[in-house]
Amino acid sequence: MNRNTPRARASDHHTTDILVVGAGPTGLMLGCLLRHHGIQCTVIEQRDGIDPRTRAVMVHAAGLEILDSLGLRTAVEDKGVRHTRIDFHTRHQAMFTVDFSRLDTAFPYYVNVPQPDVEAVLADRFTTAGGRLLRGLRYTRHQEDEHGVTAETVTDGTPHTITARHLVGADGASSAVRTALGIGFPGTTYPMSYLLAEGAPLLPPEPHASAMYIGPAGAVSLLPLPHGTVRIAGPVSAESIDRDSELSTRHFQETVDTLGFGPALRFQRVDRIAHYQVHERLAERFTCGRTVLAGDAAHLNAPAGGQAMNTGFADAWALAWRFAALLGGSKAPLLADYDRERRAAAAETARSTSVLGLLDAMRRATTQAARNSVQETLTGYAEAWSQLYLHYRPTPAPATPATTAPTDTTPGHPVLPPRSSHRLQPGARVPRHRPEPGRHTWLHLPGARPDDTLLPPLTHTAELSPAQRAWLPAGAAAVLVRPDGHVARTVPADATTGATAETEKEAA
């Protein structure tokens, strides 16, 4: 795979359907999905090559399903390690577990895979599929009219212009596109510094789980990575380190040792060491005219649960079918719906990753009753972090991030519901359903037949599986599913023909 795509030339002025600024996981995933729809796409990136730092690691079930739809899941999994649990350890020998093995998916697990390797797989597919990836090209500004967008860029000090129907800012937390649009990015920066080191551990980690070790005043995660290496990272203490100061291996190890877990958190060899700040921010809006924000340019959240790369994938998944419909002539307010749905989803993700109160509850759980209570609180976290049961509400609560870092000590339940309460209402994601690119799907009970005049063109039809029938609302015989796998509307039994009373009762 070519990680160093040739730099753009100043004479390469051209036109494309969709211009994506930023060749990170979100931008490249969107590029791959757009090419899957047969849409022309250009991705530009100011870096000359892929950033070798690991950064994001986890790919959860919904992300694996998206990769599988592109035929890329195996290529990504081959570069990572598959896990089914996240274990939480405390100083008083308690252990709590988030178990992913019973999720409603063909992939009931998550994969720890370095972000650079994910980017390499996506970049290779994007360019092989006919996408245009231009590195060494820096976005400066753009203007738009009723016909499209004209973006101005610079390479080696020379101006370069690209015109497109739509522009996507997937250029990270310091997004130049978001800044050019004047869109605010309110939120908070956590007061403590997070420490990070990667390398060969002194002791081999648990083979099927990542872990978090919780000490009296701090905590770190231990994420097994390929080739026998691990990443240890987290808010080890309440101190804040000057961002320009260097961190020594000795200081890192001495600080982590204060958590009290000894050899379990020690390295035999350190390959990389760093410290960083954690931000929780949400753009004031995700769209402006023909321009859209996605990934870290639109939202940032705490690292708990490994949501960053997955939420960016979900943004790309939500955008690709909308762009396909718009370029096909749709007049529906699809980008406004993207703004409403994905902004609310990002806010819910932020709430499900704010776990400081939960970690404090684990520290204080010294009795069996308290431990049982904490473990019960963890029910639903696998569902929330997998993003399989995402539900876009018709009128979501205001998507406003916290203005200060979370400090309460009451463990909160995830915002997203566990599968036992999931129902295929409008906006709900349909687990175990594989959408066809650009096509709606009519999922129905056995024998139920639709009124074809009420279905979008080229709608695919299929029977609900037994598991999906259990999520069907009472009185419904079918659901119309959007190309992104979310319910467009439920269809009552009296609006179809052929559904038997027995199958209606089974679905209820």
Side-chain angles (χ1 to χ4, degrees):
M1 296 181 184
N2 184 6
R3 296 192 177 205
N4 295 300
T5 305
R7 294 168 62 90
R9 299 187 306 272
S11 60
D12 280 344
H13 178 111
H14 71 284
T15 299
T16 187
D17 286 330
I18 308 295
L19 173 61
V20 180
V21 180
T26 301
L28 290 169
M29 173 61 81
L30 178 58
C32 289
L33 291 170
L34 291 172
R35 290 305 303 144
H36 199 52
H37 283 276
I39 296 171
Q40 290 183 352
C41 179
T42 297
V43 177
I44 65 173
E45 169 61 50
Q46 66 178 351
R47 293 179 181 271
D48 287 332
I50 293 175
D51 188 336
R53 293 174 297 177
T54 304
R55 294 174 294 167
V57 170
M58 288 184 176
V59 179
H60 283 285
L64 292 171
E65 289 187 355
I66 296 173
L67 288 165
D68 194 63
S69 73
L70 293 168
L72 298 177
R73 180 186 55 81
T74 299
V76 169
E77 286 197 23
D78 285 348
K79 295 180 177 298
V81 290
R82 182 189 295 188
H83 284 164
T84 57
R85 305 193 320 272
I86 299 177
D87 295 334
F88 297 79
H89 303 267
T90 69
R91 284 276 295 274
H92 43 78
Q93 306 302 313
M95 188 177 84
F96 309 96
T97 297
V98 175
D99 184 1
F100 295 80
S101 64
R102 296 191 299 160
L103 295 172
D104 296 292
T105 176
F107 318 113
Y109 50 85
Y110 61 91
V111 177
N112 286 347
V113 53
Q115 179 177 325
D117 290 334
V118 176
E119 291 181 14
V121 170
L122 293 172
D124 184 66
R125 168 54 59 85
F126 176 61
T127 54
T128 300
R132 190 167 191 177
L133 175 57
L134 302 177
R135 296 194 183 274
L137 202 63
R138 179 172 58 86
Y139 162 92
T140 58
R141 61 181 179 176
H142 73 276
Q143 56 187 11
E144 66 175 73
D145 55 28
E146 67 273 18
H147 303 296
V149 177
T150 300
E152 297 181 16
T153 64
V154 173
T155 178
D156 295 328
T158 303
H160 180 88
T161 303
I162 302 174
T163 57
R165 299 280 295 278
H166 294 275
L167 172 70
V168 179
D171 50 340
S174 300
S175 171
V177 175
R178 188 188 64 240
T179 301
L181 292 172
I183 295 176
F185 203 36
T188 186
T189 298
Y190 283 32
M192 72 289 286
S193 293
Y194 280 55
L195 305 185
L196 177 150
E198 294 171 351
L202 183 63
L203 300 178
E206 163 66 34
H208 302 295
S210 296
M212 177 159 277
Y213 291 84
I214 306 160
V220 294
S221 60
L222 188 152
L223 304 180
L225 299 173
H227 313 299
T229 62
V230 300
R231 167 191 282 186
I232 296 176
V236 183
S237 67
E239 71 173 325
S240 179
I241 302 173
D242 182 85
R243 63 180 301 174
D244 295 323
S245 65
E246 293 188 7
L247 181 67
S248 70
T249 300
R250 178 178 177 181
H251 180 262
F252 176 90
Q253 195 65 74
E254 289 176 349
T255 306
V256 171
D257 280 348
T258 64
L259 297 178
F261 293 94
L265 296 177
R266 289 179 184 157
F267 282 95
Q268 184 179 43
R269 184 194 73 247
V270 173
D271 300 327
R272 177 191 170 204
I273 192 165
H275 62 87
Y276 59 99
Q277 296 295 130
V278 166
H279 308 273
E280 185 177 311
R281 299 187 181 278
L282 186 66
E284 292 175 339
R285 62 187 188 277
F286 284 12
T287 62
C288 182
R290 292 177 172 269
T291 303
V292 181
L293 299 178
D296 286 355
H299 43 73
L300 297 172
N301 52 263
Q307 297 296 283
M309 191 153 45
N310 299 274
T311 308
F313 285 170
D315 290 345
W317 182 250
L319 275 174
W321 74 274
R322 286 179 162 91
F323 280 140
L326 289 170
L327 295 176
S330 174
K331 302 300 181 183
L334 295 176
L335 295 186
D337 286 343
Y338 167 83
D339 187 1
R340 173 179 58 82
E341 293 181 351
R342 291 305 304 160
R343 191 165 182 273
E348 289 208 6
T349 297
R351 286 190 282 271
S352 77
T353 56
S354 294
V355 297
L356 296 184
L358 178 62
L359 298 183
D360 195 60
M362 291 178 178
R363 292 185 184 97
R364 295 183 286 107
T366 57
T367 67
Q368 190 58 50
R371 292 173 182 175
N372 291 343
S373 177
V374 170
Q375 184 60 54
E376 183 180 355
T377 299
L378 291 174
T379 301
Y381 270 84
E383 286 86 352
W385 289 342
S386 74
Q387 301 193 16
L388 290 173
Y389 307 89
L390 180 62
H391 194 160
Y392 295 136
R393 308 290 176 179
T395 54
T400 304
T403 56
T404 58
T407 56
D408 70 274
T409 57
T410 302
H413 292 273
V415 177
L416 303 179
R419 60 184 179 276
S420 60
S421 61
H422 194 65
R423 292 293 178 269
L424 301 185
Q425 302 285 3
R429 188 180 183 278
V430 184
R432 293 190 176 274
H433 169 62
R434 183 167 179 166
E436 296 193 13
R439 297 177 64 178
H440 285 70
T441 304
W442 198 73
L443 288 177
H444 59 91
L445 292 174
R449 295 187 296 275
D451 179 349
D452 291 338
T453 63
L454 300 178
L455 298 181
L458 303 177
T459 296
H460 175 69
T461 63
E463 284 192 7
L464 290 153
S465 70
Q468 291 168 341
R469 294 176 206 173
W471 296 316
L472 201 63
V479 290
L480 180 65
V481 186
R482 303 184 323 198
D484 63 350
H486 287 260
V487 176
R489 68 173 185 268
T490 57
V491 183
D494 59 10
T496 68
T497 59
T500 65
E502 181 178 350
T503 55
E504 292 173 25
K505 180 178 179 181
E506 177 185 355

